[in-house]
Amino acid sequence: MTRYLLERPHTLVSLTFFATRYGSAKSSISEDLTILKRTFQERGTGILETVPGAAGGARFIPGISEEEAILFVRKMETALTEENRFLPGGYVYMSDLLGQPDVLRQVGRIIATEYQEGAVDAVMTVATKGVPIAQSVASFLNVPFVIVRHDSQITEGSTVSVNYVSGSSNRIEKMALSKRSLKSGSRVLVVDDYMKAGGTVRGMQSLVKEFDSTVVGISVFAEGADTEDKVIEDYTSLLTVGVENEQVKVAPGNYLEKIFSKK
Amino acid sequence: MTRYLLERPHTLVSLTFFATRYGSAKSSISEDLTILKRTFQERGTGILETVPGAAGGARFIPGISEEEAILFVRKMETALTEENRFLPGGYVYMSDLLGQPDVLRQVGRIIATEYQEGAVDAVMTVATKGVPIAQSVASFLNVPFVIVRHDSQITEGSTVSVNYVSGSSNRIEKMALSKRSLKSGSRVLVVDDYMKAGGTVRGMQSLVKEFDSTVVGISVFAEGADTEDKVIEDYTSLLTVGVENEQVKVAPGNYLEKIFSKK
């Protein structure tokens, strides 16, 4: 039952279904759900919503506790501060972290915690390094994710494309999304691995508009430390990453404050 | 306990750890594990290996039952046969399926079932559409995944690149992998969303060699139906996809036969 619920976040599973599946009385299923609810709460796994009545059941809404989120952000800070991550041009090497299943699982849980109310229909990101984050967030929200590309591929069919100004370099760039990948009227959560000035995110915002859809949130794993040239205002970041004298400087982003202060 | 084990596949969790975490006697933890073991087996969730003795514990090895795998392959066949998936040039639109968390979860479980013995150190794929599959497989095997790219990005640091012949078009192409992303001596599982002639996969094979590593398996979601020009021999595919008279033709790949006939 635990596995079934965990694998189907944000989905109402009826008591009747569980009763049939496990050959038990609804009353014992109901008791088990109460235990599960308490355990989830105690462990900070998320919320188990139970809906009473004949049409009732349970819905698992993944989340993370403030303690666990803080621990994770600290762990990432430590990992990113390792000195061999500095790259020429002031970039920071993060690909290894974002290729680890346990890191991605936590990033997904943390970002999904912001959108527990279920106001997201699709997660959007841009190829390539945002993809694992989008996938993880999408799995916790149980919604599809779509990948915006810089090159348009023959295997995507017809696409909608926009030009955008890359915030940091002031160059005009292009991004495209397969026409059939997003329904109009979707509420879209934009995620990415790294946001410097936010030009790419702004590009995705205008792409979302082209699909008659709305951006309901912007969440990034890391943002650049130079905030004065940011073109995006309302977003959350887990980390702030900067480079000073060829040394990587990492600090927590605005996530912890934004999410847990209002709770 | 279920959640803890499910989230850490292929990891031995000690009885002592569970006993401390839940404030229970080792004997009751041990009994619970026996129940869990039976449940996992009955439901085809995978194998719960229990290691007896003082240093003992339990290890969850994800897997899928033949019945569930067959059902999933049929479901994908049906989904891909929908007529609006045909694209000019004989391509088939699949991006929507590979952006659905539940589809990806099953693809990951199915492919991971082939490598339950744990002989994989890393999963490799090529950007962009292989990424979600690599991520899902990696999460079930609990190993990192690495992304090979056609463009080399400044944020990857120094890279190792190879030229390869695209099997279907006979063009020379280039692919690169960040130098620090793969340790030498790794046993690598190569995955991708679609394999036509296999040129890209062969490129990844030579890249793996450049890292003094070994390819231990090749698994793709779908392979092209024209088999005569394949340059890769030993692989598994969940589906075979072809186009005839602008109609998409889908059939099961060689996976079901290869995996379940030997079990």
Side-chain angles (χ1 to χ4, degrees), chain B:
Chain B
M1 201 149 82
T2 307
R3 181 181 81 92
Y4 197 91
L5 286 164
L6 289 176
E7 282 191 354
R8 286 159 189 81
H10 292 272
T11 309
L12 184 70
V13 185
S14 71
L15 275 184
T16 319
F17 173 83
F18 278 135
T20 315
R21 184 174 159 108
Y22 301 111
S24 312
K26 280 195 198 180
S27 57
S28 22
I29 296 288
S30 188
E31 277 166 34
D32 288 351
L33 286 174
T34 310
I35 300 172
L36 218 50
K37 188 174 185 163
R38 205 178 51 225
T39 314
F40 280 9
Q41 201 163 24
E42 280 170 13
R43 298 274 158 210
T45 313
I47 302 159
L48 191 69
E49 267 184 14
T50 43
V51 181
R59 181 190 284 122
F60 170 56
I61 297 169
I64 199 165
S65 66
E66 184 169 3
E67 294 70 32
E68 206 180 340
I70 292 172
L71 273 179
F72 178 74
V73 168
R74 283 215 194 110
K75 198 176 131 193
M76 290 299 104
E77 261 186 89
T78 313
L80 285 173
T81 313
E82 290 170 16
E83 60 177 323
N84 60 353
R85 294 185 171 272
F86 170 75
L87 295 176
Y91 288 93
V92 176
Y93 181 74
M94 314 195 293
S95 301
D96 58 334
L97 287 179
L98 298 178
Q100 287 174 21
D102 53 337
V103 170
L104 287 167
R105 203 175 284 132
Q106 291 294 65
V107 172
R109 258 179 89 194
I110 288 186
I111 295 179
T113 303
E114 287 187 70
Y115 305 96
Q116 285 185 323
E117 293 78 14
V120 175
D121 300 314
V123 178
M124 174 184 275
T125 193
V126 69
T128 298
K129 284 188 294 178
V131 178
I133 293 179
Q135 175 170 358
S136 183
V137 175
S139 87
F140 282 101
L141 293 176
N142 207 19
V143 298
F145 64 92
V146 298
I147 305 172
V148 175
R149 305 179 62 130
H150 289 291
D151 51 342
S152 70
Q153 280 267 330
I154 194 159
T155 50
E156 295 297 320
S158 52
T159 56
V160 175
S161 72
V162 295
N163 293 309
Y164 68 99
V165 182
S166 159
S168 42
S169 64
N170 253 327
R171 273 184 315 181
I172 304 277
E173 310 222 23
K174 191 177 171 167
M175 55 168 71
L177 180 63
S178 172
K179 221 167 171 175
R180 49 179 123 187
S181 66
L182 192 65
K183 281 192 205 110
S184 73
S186 297
R187 294 163 300 174
V188 179
L189 164 61
V190 170
V191 303
D192 211 349
D193 62 322
Y194 181 69
M195 179 172 88
K196 206 170 183 182
T200 311
V201 169
R202 207 163 51 172
M204 285 193 266
Q205 286 178 318
S206 51
L207 202 49
V208 169
K209 268 190 208 141
E210 291 296 324
F211 281 83
D212 297 320
S213 293
T214 326
V215 173
V216 292
I218 298 162
S219 294
V220 299
F221 177 68
E223 61 169 310
D226 305 325
T227 43
E228 65 265 33
D229 56 356
K230 287 267 193 308
V231 296
I232 294 290
E233 285 189 354
D234 200 14
Y235 63 90
T236 57
S237 63
L238 297 187
L239 297 160
T240 303
V241 174
V243 172
E244 256 174 57
N245 305 322
E246 308 218 339
Q247 288 289 315
V248 175
K249 299 269 173 202
V250 190
N254 64 14
Y255 176 91
L256 293 173
E257 201 184 328
K258 267 197 155 171
I259 302 311
F260 292 108
S261 64
K262 71 178 180 193
K263 286 210 166 178

Side-chain angles (χ1 to χ4, degrees), chain A:
Chain A
M1 202 149 79
T2 307
R3 180 180 82 92
Y4 198 90
L5 286 163
L6 288 176
E7 282 190 354
R8 286 158 190 82
H10 292 272
T11 308
L12 184 69
V13 186
S14 71
L15 276 184
T16 318
F17 173 84
F18 279 135
T20 315
R21 184 174 159 108
Y22 301 111
S24 311
K26 280 193 197 180
S27 56
S28 24
I29 296 288
S30 189
E31 278 166 33
D32 288 351
L33 287 174
T34 310
I35 299 173
L36 217 49
K37 189 174 186 162
R38 206 178 52 224
T39 314
F40 280 8
Q41 202 163 23
E42 281 170 11
R43 298 273 158 210
T45 312
I47 303 159
L48 191 69
E49 268 185 14
T50 44
V51 181
R59 181 190 283 124
F60 170 56
I61 297 169
I64 200 165
S65 66
E66 184 169 3
E67 293 71 32
E68 206 180 341
I70 292 173
L71 272 180
F72 178 74
V73 169
R74 283 215 194 111
K75 198 175 131 193
M76 291 298 105
E77 261 186 88
T78 314
L80 286 173
T81 313
E82 292 169 14
E83 60 176 324
N84 60 354
R85 292 184 172 275
F86 169 75
L87 295 175
Y91 289 93
V92 176
Y93 181 74
M94 313 194 294
S95 301
D96 58 334
L97 288 179
L98 299 177
Q100 287 174 22
D102 53 338
V103 170
L104 287 167
R105 202 175 286 132
Q106 291 293 65
V107 172
R109 259 179 87 194
I110 288 186
I111 296 179
T113 302
E114 286 185 64
Y115 305 95
Q116 286 185 323
E117 292 79 14
V120 175
D121 299 315
V123 178
M124 174 184 276
T125 193
V126 68
T128 300
K129 283 187 294 176
V131 177
I133 293 178
Q135 175 171 358
S136 183
V137 175
S139 87
F140 282 101
L141 294 176
N142 208 18
V143 297
F145 64 92
V146 297
I147 305 172
V148 176
R149 306 180 61 132
H150 289 290
D151 51 343
S152 70
Q153 281 266 332
I154 193 159
T155 49
E156 295 297 321
S158 52
T159 56
V160 175
S161 71
V162 295
N163 293 310
Y164 68 100
V165 182
S166 160
S168 43
S169 63
N170 252 327
R171 272 183 316 183
I172 304 276
E173 311 221 23
K174 191 178 171 167
M175 54 168 71
L177 180 63
S178 172
K179 219 167 173 176
R180 50 178 124 185
S181 65
L182 193 63
K183 281 190 205 113
S184 72
S186 297
R187 294 163 299 173
V188 179
L189 164 61
V190 170
V191 302
D192 210 349
D193 61 322
Y194 182 69
M195 179 171 87
K196 206 170 182 181
T200 311
V201 169
R202 207 162 52 172
M204 285 192 267
Q205 286 178 319
S206 51
L207 202 48
V208 168
K209 269 191 208 137
E210 291 296 324
F211 282 85
D212 298 319
S213 293
T214 326
V215 173
V216 292
I218 298 162
S219 294
V220 299
F221 177 67
E223 62 169 310
D226 304 325
T227 43
E228 65 265 35
D229 55 357
K230 287 267 192 311
V231 297
I232 294 290
E233 284 188 356
D234 201 15
Y235 63 89
T236 57
S237 64
L238 297 187
L239 298 159
T240 303
V241 175
V243 172
E244 256 174 56
N245 304 323
E246 310 218 339
Q247 288 288 315
V248 176
K249 299 268 175 203
V250 191
N254 63 14
Y255 176 90
L256 293 173
E257 202 185 326
K258 268 199 155 169
I259 302 312
F260 293 108
S261 64
K262 69 176 180 192
K263 287 214 166 178

